[in-house]
């Protein structure tokens, strides 16, 4: 069933809860279609007055911030064994190559990797747990987490909602377009990261074959 059609069958409070929970679980580290649910709900809010876009955006933002924070705490406590366990459960998302690429981004950009990672499908799943594993100072993580969560969740809700208000009849005929765009953006991000991950894995293997073992990476933000 079309996601938006299914959302139309449930009460507004259930839509708010669903958006917050799905985005929260995705931010925590569980691969879920948070962006698709958010876009669909914002489109629905623009067409039905019983769904308040402000409450919707607030629930999405809260889910993003809380989920990332829980993921950070779990990652800080679980450490690298947690990443190995996630790799076994979700090999397509938490493969060693993907983790290496994400870790390089964190080592290079620090808290900005958390902020900008909110807008990239794969990094959105990694950000919280990996920041905890790398022991990023919590105040830096929280700052980037809150700013990124507000801009991504609140901004996405506002943009999709107002576009729906301006072009309601167009969106009703082509409501799939918003979902297709969200999926294409997510897939493109994952393909780019996958290509970078393969290059990183190849380079790491070549280095390991010719050089001595590298020292353990320094804590992010120290």
């Amino acid at each position: 069933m079309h996601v938006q059609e299914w959302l139309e069958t449930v009460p507004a409070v259930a839509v708010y809860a669903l958006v917050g929970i799905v985005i929260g679980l995705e931010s925590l580290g569980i691969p879920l279609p948070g962006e698709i649910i958010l876009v669909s709900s914002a489109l629905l809010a623009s067409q039905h007055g019983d769904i308040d876009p402000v409450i919707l955006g607030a629930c999405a933002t809260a889910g993003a911030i809380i989920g990332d924070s829980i993921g950070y705490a779990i990652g800080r406590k679980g450490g690298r064994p947690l990443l190995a366990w996630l790799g076994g459960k979700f090999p397509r998302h938490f493969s060693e190559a993907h983790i290496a690429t994400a870790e390089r981004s964190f080592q290079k950009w620090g808290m900005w990797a958390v902020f900008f990672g909110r807008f990239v499908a794969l990094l959105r799943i990694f950000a919280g747990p990996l920041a905890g594993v790398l022991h990023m100072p919590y105040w830096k993580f929280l700052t980037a987490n809150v700013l990124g969560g507000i801009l991504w969740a609140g901004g996405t809700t506002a943009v999709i909602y107002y576009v729906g208000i301006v072009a309601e009849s167009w969106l009703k005929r082509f409501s799939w377009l918003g979902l297709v765009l969200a999926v294409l953006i997510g897939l493109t991000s994952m393909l780019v990261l996958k290509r970078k991950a393969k290059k990183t894995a190849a380079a790491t293997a070549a280095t390991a074959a010719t050089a001595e073992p590298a020292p353990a990476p320094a804590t992010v933000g120290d």
Side-chain angles (χ1 to χ4, degrees), residues 42 46 53-54 155-168 171:
S46 71
V54 175
T156 298
T157 302
V159 169
I160 298 299
Y161 175 78
Y162 284 113
V163 167
I165 293 295
V166 172
E168 181 176 358
L171 285 173

Side-chain angles (χ1 to χ4, degrees), residues 16 24 54 60-61 75 103 162 178 203 206:
Y16 302 145
V54 175
T61 301
E103 187 170 346
Y162 284 113

Side-chain angles (χ1 to χ4, degrees), residues 14-155:
V15 175
Y16 302 145
L18 178 67
V19 168
I21 290 172
V22 170
I23 291 177
L25 291 175
E26 181 189 41
S27 301
L28 187 153
I30 300 175
L32 290 175
E35 192 168 44
I36 292 177
I37 294 295
L38 179 57
V39 169
S40 299
S41 300
L43 283 175
L44 186 62
S46 71
Q47 300 165 14
H48 298 275
D50 54 340
I51 298 179
D52 190 327
V54 175
I55 298 178
L56 181 66
C59 290
T61 301
I65 294 172
I66 294 173
D68 250 9
S69 297
I70 295 175
Y72 174 91
I74 293 174
R76 193 174 181 94
K77 183 175 181 179
R80 294 189 178 277
L82 173 65
L83 296 181
W85 181 82
L86 289 172
K89 294 294 183 179
F90 307 103
R92 293 184 59 184
H93 297 86
F94 289 91
S95 67
E96 293 184 5
H98 285 168
I99 292 174
T101 298
E103 187 170 346
R104 287 184 60 189
S105 299
F106 271 69
Q107 294 290 353
K108 183 176 182 180
W109 301 107
M111 63 184 290
W112 293 111
V114 177
F115 177 83
F116 289 110
R118 174 58 59 183
F119 301 88
V120 180
L122 189 59
L123 287 180
R124 193 158 54 242
I125 301 172
F126 275 117
L130 189 56
V133 169
L134 297 178
H135 286 234
M136 176 182 288
Y138 184 69
W139 71 268
K140 289 186 176 183
F141 170 80
L142 183 62
T143 300
N145 179 27
V146 171
L147 293 177
I150 291 174
L151 189 59
W152 175 75

